[in-house]
Amino acid sequence: MKKLAFYLLIALFVTPVVTEAKVWRVNNNVGVVADFNNISTALYGVALMDTIYLEPSATEYILSSNNDFFYQNKNLTIIGSGYFLAANQNGNGGLQQDALESIISTNTSGATGLIHMKGPVKFIGIVFDTRIYLGNSPSFDPVSNLSFESCLLKYNIFSNITPFTVVSNLHFSKNYMLGDFSITQNQQQLLNFTFENNILVGNFTLPITITQDQRLIRNNVFGGTATFNAAYCANNIFRTSAALTFPGCILKNNIFQAAQSATSANVEANNQWAAEMSNVFQSTQTDRDKYFQLAPGSQAIGAGVPNGTAAVDCGAFGGPDPYKLSGIPAIPTIYLLQMPSSIISNTNTLIDLKSRSNN
């Protein structure tokens, strides 16, 4: 008998954009042969512009040091398998054949763990079971070129590094965020900041700016308090009656649970106030991303700033690059694999495999 072990993670094929770049597999499952079985070893062992596939596992990938992502300077892309994949856990079944997740943590995981981030690195489909600190106080190193796309961020993301430290090219797109997001040190330079199509359950804070920063906050769902400074805020849904302030902002086509009050925004247009959230979303529950899809007849449908002549929905599932359930990356995935656990050598067997492009 010959046993077959399939750890097919996500991609059926990968064509690197840069011909010199390489794709590496990291897998810590017992008995699986991969390029690396440890995420920290992989970070220091790969080269500039490489891609790492962090394959799904029942065991978290624990960093050797909470500075491993701070001191690497290789402009890596790290891709995981998504989250909420098990249908029997009230997740979104049928999206990945393997329902396990690609989880990064430190030796101290959860709300007491901490990872320092500086960039450049892009994360796609990763689960972070720890807090994330943008910077490494009291380091004066600039934080730049960090991208979190389609990730599950279970705890706070924050920064309060020294004033005048530059934080640039920071991008959050299509993430499910359970903790708070806060950059609290005023007078930081926050350049080219985008926050689009995210679901943030916690609170949100941006600092007072010292320059004409570029801050785009569009098509998100916010569940807690929010303090925005000098940002363009459009097509968002604020699912809270808590305090909201928008000094120096452009505030367009947003939907609020709160009653209208003074916002300190420089520009306000086409916002809706005192919305009943049970009519906006498909569910009043908040512990899974699927509950934030718009209800039939929701007032958020077509209520965003139009894209040319095309109507745009408010919330994370609207806009040109909408949120995807379970953080499924925009690369081919295998969502069904049926095969025997073993076959006799030199015989034929039937394997049922289905995939989708996810573009």
Side-chain angles (χ1 to χ4, degrees):
M1 306 289 284
K2 183 179 180 181
K3 293 185 178 180
L4 300 178
F6 278 75
Y7 284 91
L8 296 175
L9 179 61
I10 302 171
L12 298 177
F13 57 88
V14 176
T15 304
V17 175
V18 180
T19 56
E20 292 82 3
K22 187 173 180 179
V23 176
W24 304 86
R25 293 176 54 221
V26 179
N27 193 312
N28 64 2
N29 291 280
V30 176
V32 176
V33 178
D35 298 303
F36 301 94
N37 61 12
N38 179 281
I39 180 62
S40 293
T41 304
L43 290 175
Y44 293 105
V46 303
L48 181 71
M49 300 293 291
D50 283 353
T51 296
I52 294 174
Y53 281 103
L54 195 66
E55 303 189 357
S57 174
T59 304
E60 295 188 352
Y61 292 91
I62 299 175
L63 295 169
S64 299
S65 165
N66 63 357
N67 286 317
D68 283 344
F69 283 115
F70 190 81
Y71 291 121
Q72 76 82 23
N73 191 33
K74 298 177 180 177
N75 200 6
L76 303 176
T77 298
I78 301 175
I79 303 176
S81 58
Y83 47 87
F84 301 153
L85 297 167
N88 61 355
Q89 296 175 358
N90 201 26
N92 306 308
L95 297 177
Q96 292 275 37
Q97 184 273 330
D98 193 334
L100 296 175
E101 299 170 334
S102 307
I103 305 173
I104 294 178
S105 70
T106 63
N107 285 319
T108 304
S109 60
T112 57
L114 183 65
I115 297 176
H116 296 289
M117 294 281 187
K118 183 177 68 172
V121 63
K122 181 176 184 177
F123 300 98
I124 305 173
I126 300 294
V127 176
F128 288 92
D129 187 21
T130 181
R131 297 175 299 157
I132 295 173
Y133 186 87
L134 304 173
N136 187 5
S137 185
S139 170
F140 294 94
D141 290 17
V143 177
S144 63
N145 298 306
L146 270 172
S147 178
F148 296 83
E149 178 181 314
S150 302
C151 293
L152 171 58
L153 302 151
K154 298 173 69 173
Y155 299 97
N156 294 351
I157 303 170
F158 64 105
S159 176
N160 58 359
I161 54 180
T162 306
F164 310 109
T165 300
V166 176
V167 180
S168 61
N169 298 313
L170 187 61
H171 306 294
F172 291 82
S173 173
K174 298 174 289 188
N175 301 291
Y176 189 74
M177 308 167 75
L178 296 175
D180 298 339
F181 180 95
S182 60
I183 301 179
T184 56
Q185 183 64 266
N186 290 331
Q187 308 307 319
Q188 282 185 205
Q189 294 186 57
L190 181 60
L191 306 174
N192 192 21
F193 173 81
T194 59
F195 197 86
E196 298 184 276
N197 298 92
N198 301 289
I199 300 170
L200 175 66
V201 177
N203 304 315
F204 185 90
T205 305
L206 286 185
I208 297 172
T209 181
I210 61 173
T211 60
Q212 293 298 315
D213 302 353
Q214 301 84 41
R215 305 180 182 191
L216 176 63
I217 302 172
R218 181 169 59 189
N219 278 104
N220 304 286
V221 177
F222 294 97
T225 62
T227 301
F228 298 76
N229 282 284
Y232 177 84
C233 305
N235 307 349
N236 303 292
I237 301 176
F238 294 89
R239 187 179 179 144
T240 177
S241 57
L244 303 168
T245 57
F246 302 89
C249 291
I250 297 173
L251 197 61
K252 290 186 175 182
N253 296 68
N254 301 282
I255 296 177
F256 296 86
Q257 179 177 318
Q260 185 170 7
S261 59
T263 65
S264 303
N266 286 350
V267 177
E268 294 188 52
N270 303 315
N271 298 296
Q272 300 182 44
W273 301 87
E276 176 51 61
M277 291 295 133
S278 61
N279 297 327
V280 173
F281 295 107
Q282 292 185 8
S283 173
T284 58
Q285 298 184 65
T286 61
D287 63 337
R288 290 293 185 272
D289 53 359
K290 63 183 178 182
Y291 298 134
F292 292 89
Q293 296 177 99
L294 299 182
S298 170
Q299 66 198 79
I301 296 174
V305 176
N307 182 12
T309 59
V312 173
D313 295 345
C314 291
F317 290 89
D321 190 17
Y323 181 95
K324 291 185 178 181
L325 290 175
S326 291
I328 299 299
I331 58 176
T333 62
I334 295 170
Y335 67 92
L336 185 142
L337 177 64
Q338 294 178 338
M339 56 175 289
S341 58
S342 62
I343 61 173
I344 300 174
S345 299
N346 301 318
T347 62
N348 296 325
T349 190
L350 180 64
I351 297 175
D352 187 8
L353 184 149
K354 296 182 180 179
S355 68
R356 61 168 65 89
S357 66
N358 296 311
N359 293 329

